[in-house]
Amino acid sequence: MGEVATCTLHYATLTHNHQRVVVHRERNTSEDFSEPAAFSFSFRSLVPCPGMEIQEVNFKVRVAISMAAELLDDNIITEILSRLPLKSLLRSKCVCKRWHFMISDPIFIRKYSLENPIYYVSGFYLQKAWLSCKPRLDFFTMNGNLEAAPEASLSFIKDIKGGSVQIMSSCNGLLCCSSFRCSERDRNYYICKPTTKQYTMLPPIESEHVFGMSIVFEPSKSPHYKVVCVCESELSQPKDSLYQIKVFSSQTSSWKLKAFLMSYKMFFGRGVLWCGAVCWAGWGDSLLHFDVEREVLQTLPMPPKPEGRESRACRYMGEAGGHLHMVEIFDFYPTSFEVMEMEEDCSGWFTKYHVDLTNLLFPYQEIEELKYSILSLLHKEGNYKSSLVLHIPGKVILYNLEDATCVEILNSQPDHLDVFLQPGLDYTWGDVQLYKNTLCYLR
């Protein structure tokens, strides 16, 4: 019989970035070390990535292969998992409970997303849902990896009613969707991540009428998301509608009533997330501002109306670069207008950009009359400067706000050449959902 002793067993050696890491575990054993090794084990097949060499090591004791994963330190497993392709990583959740917990950890998700920029993409969805039996969806990539762009389809969501779904709102890579063309009583709401085709159904809202749904997801602050719903209160009267705000939290998986609203006339169907709050443009002199974290509802001023104007004419409101912007157009397709920006203290608005579309007609002589809709304002990112995304008949134009130049982005993405087949304007601000794949996957 061989020597019986207390020893340190070295199971694997990894070399990464010229640093040698030894995975080991100390334990008392009475194994017979005079016998040859029972088997060999290699991790080479688990880590198909350049820059890391994993040396095959013979185990000197009889252990079950199923114990191998348990013997690895968490830091080593994290390094291995962070180098797997995304699809392989998500499948690895099924290996064991320990791996499932590690892959689902918000800290690991952020680490994986930062170390794998090939999965980052930003752009916007164009959705045409009116006068159709099924929503029409297209996606335009603006920055990031074109191959990482989501498919222009939400068919992976299996609506229990058997129908299609439409996008209600978008935030940092997550979409809030709902059943399409059905009564509110039969409507279902979903949260999904289109790049990985993960989705979950929200609990019933229990309201006769839903006016708007806004998803709030800030992964740098919390791994959980919230959904802000503006719906009709049970206390509403036929001639005096009473609105209420309900908030769903993914942490508690439940809805809670947060605030009552009186008869505010707002664009509830188009909430804008700005600095942790959902904002709704109004028909009067105020907009609504709901701080999701503090659960505080307040009014903020709308931009001043031109002299002699009584009604509002909001054609766009959105967030870009941490600022809230709005465009109001009172005349019939004027060739110039102002982009307004909210003051930092929320006391009022100032003119951020002056837009002159006079020269826009020259490259497109076939357009007899200037018609346009403002789809979005994009903050400078990558190769793009701060720009307005404009829709003119048959085309999507990127208007550079810094030098007043125009680029037609429709021709740069031939997969979408059939988006605008009808003459006139098919899309407006309400048909656009910005998308930024901040995190690679959900928990």
Side-chain angles (χ1 to χ4, degrees):
M1 298 289 291
E3 179 183 0
V4 177
T6 300
C7 65
T8 299
L9 303 179
H10 293 247
Y11 293 105
T13 304
L14 285 75
T15 304
H16 178 52
N17 292 338
H18 307 292
Q19 294 182 349
R20 186 180 180 86
V21 181
V22 178
V23 185
H24 68 277
R25 177 180 175 186
E26 291 188 357
R27 71 182 215 181
N28 294 326
T29 180
S30 57
E31 292 288 336
D32 186 348
F33 286 90
S34 63
E35 296 184 11
F39 65 92
S40 297
F41 189 85
S42 172
F43 292 95
R44 186 175 290 114
S45 61
L46 292 180
V47 192
C49 63
M52 175 174 282
E53 176 188 358
I54 298 186
Q55 301 174 355
E56 185 179 76
V57 178
N58 290 331
F59 285 12
K60 300 301 182 181
V61 294
R62 299 185 189 94
V63 292
I65 295 180
S66 61
M67 293 291 292
E70 298 297 330
L71 300 176
L72 284 176
D73 182 81
D74 283 356
N75 292 331
I76 300 300
I77 295 180
T78 297
E79 289 301 315
I80 293 174
L81 294 176
S82 65
R83 287 163 172 78
L84 291 178
L86 182 57
K87 290 184 179 180
S88 299
L89 177 70
L90 296 180
R91 287 198 296 265
S92 297
K93 282 186 173 184
C94 302
V95 171
C96 60
K97 290 183 178 179
R98 183 186 179 197
W99 283 25
H100 187 281
F101 176 80
M102 295 178 69
I103 296 172
S104 302
D105 183 18
I107 296 178
F108 177 81
I109 296 175
R110 286 196 291 270
K111 168 185 169 64
Y112 185 88
S113 300
L114 289 173
E115 295 181 357
N116 293 272
I118 61 171
Y119 299 114
Y120 174 78
V121 66
S122 67
F124 58 91
Y125 282 97
L126 282 176
Q127 178 178 251
K128 187 174 182 179
W130 56 279
L131 297 179
S132 62
C133 298
K134 183 179 180 180
R136 168 91 181 250
L137 198 64
D138 289 273
F139 184 83
F140 286 81
T141 302
M142 298 301 296
N143 279 290
N145 185 2
L146 187 62
E147 295 182 357
E151 297 179 10
S153 171
L154 299 176
S155 59
F156 62 90
I157 298 179
K158 306 303 179 184
D159 186 37
I160 61 176
K161 298 298 181 181
S164 303
V165 297
Q166 61 181 336
I167 302 175
M168 303 287 288
S169 63
S170 172
C171 185
N172 284 323
L174 299 185
L175 302 180
C176 178
C177 306
S178 73
S179 305
F180 184 63
R181 293 211 179 281
C182 64
S183 64
E184 192 59 50
R185 188 179 300 274
D186 297 328
R187 193 181 307 276
N188 299 305
Y189 293 90
Y190 303 89
I191 302 299
C192 75
K193 186 166 185 62
T195 51
T196 57
K197 300 183 179 180
Q198 297 169 281
Y199 73 94
T200 183
M201 188 170 72
L202 298 179
I205 299 174
E206 298 181 356
S207 177
E208 291 295 327
H209 196 111
V210 173
F211 298 96
M213 299 276 283
S214 300
I215 183 170
V216 180
F217 180 49
E218 299 185 82
S220 62
K221 298 180 180 180
S222 171
H224 304 287
Y225 61 83
K226 293 183 178 181
V227 181
V228 178
C229 172
V230 179
C231 56
E232 188 175 31
S233 170
E234 296 178 354
L235 303 178
S236 293
Q237 300 297 323
K239 295 184 179 181
D240 186 17
S241 296
L242 184 64
Y243 306 97
Q244 61 185 10
I245 291 179
K246 290 185 177 182
V247 177
F248 172 85
S249 170
S250 63
Q251 189 171 14
T252 62
S253 298
S254 61
W255 290 97
K256 287 188 177 180
L257 180 64
K258 297 300 181 183
F260 281 94
L261 311 174
M262 295 305 289
S263 301
Y264 287 107
K265 301 299 183 182
M266 300 286 168
F267 293 97
F268 287 126
R270 189 56 175 172
V272 175
L273 180 63
W274 173 53
C275 297
V278 180
C279 300
W280 297 279
W283 293 98
D285 294 330
S286 301
L287 62 84
L288 280 182
H289 176 280
F290 178 69
D291 190 309
V292 180
E293 187 66 28
R294 296 168 52 224
E295 299 178 357
V296 174
L297 181 68
Q298 62 179 331
T299 59
L300 298 179
M302 290 280 287
K305 290 181 292 189
E307 186 176 352
R309 300 285 185 177
E310 297 183 359
S311 61
R312 309 300 315 196
C314 182
R315 295 295 181 264
Y316 170 79
M317 185 175 78
E319 182 274 342
H323 301 283
L324 185 66
H325 300 100
M326 183 179 295
V327 176
E328 289 195 286
I329 299 177
F330 295 90
D331 296 321
F332 191 73
Y333 300 122
T335 56
S336 63
F337 56 84
E338 277 70 42
V339 177
M340 309 298 290
E341 182 173 299
M342 175 70 82
E343 298 277 4
E344 290 188 4
D345 61 359
C346 301
S347 61
W349 299 76
F350 65 93
T351 300
K352 179 65 175 180
Y353 301 106
H354 177 78
V355 179
D356 188 348
L357 301 179
T358 304
N359 295 330
L360 186 64
L361 283 174
F362 290 103
Y364 310 105
Q365 294 296 327
E366 70 274 15
I367 302 177
E368 298 178 359
E369 179 185 11
L370 180 62
K371 292 182 179 180
Y372 61 88
S373 59
I374 303 170
L375 301 184
S376 183
L377 191 156
L378 303 178
H379 186 61
K380 58 182 178 181
E381 180 185 7
N383 297 325
Y384 291 95
K385 304 296 183 181
S386 294
S387 305
L388 279 178
V389 182
L390 303 175
H391 169 36
I392 61 177
K395 303 179 187 298
V396 177
I397 303 296
L398 203 63
Y399 178 89
N400 190 319
L401 290 167
E402 298 181 11
D403 59 16
T405 59
C406 297
V407 177
E408 183 179 335
I409 64 175
L410 186 63
N411 287 340
S412 64
Q413 302 186 61
D415 290 343
H416 303 291
L417 284 176
D418 60 343
V419 176
F420 305 109
L421 296 179
Q422 301 295 326
L425 300 177
D426 297 320
Y427 296 90
T428 63
W429 160 50
D431 301 316
V432 179
Q433 297 290 346
L434 297 183
Y435 185 84
K436 182 178 291 187
N437 193 30
T438 307
L439 296 180
C440 292
Y441 63 96
L442 294 178
R443 300 178 64 184

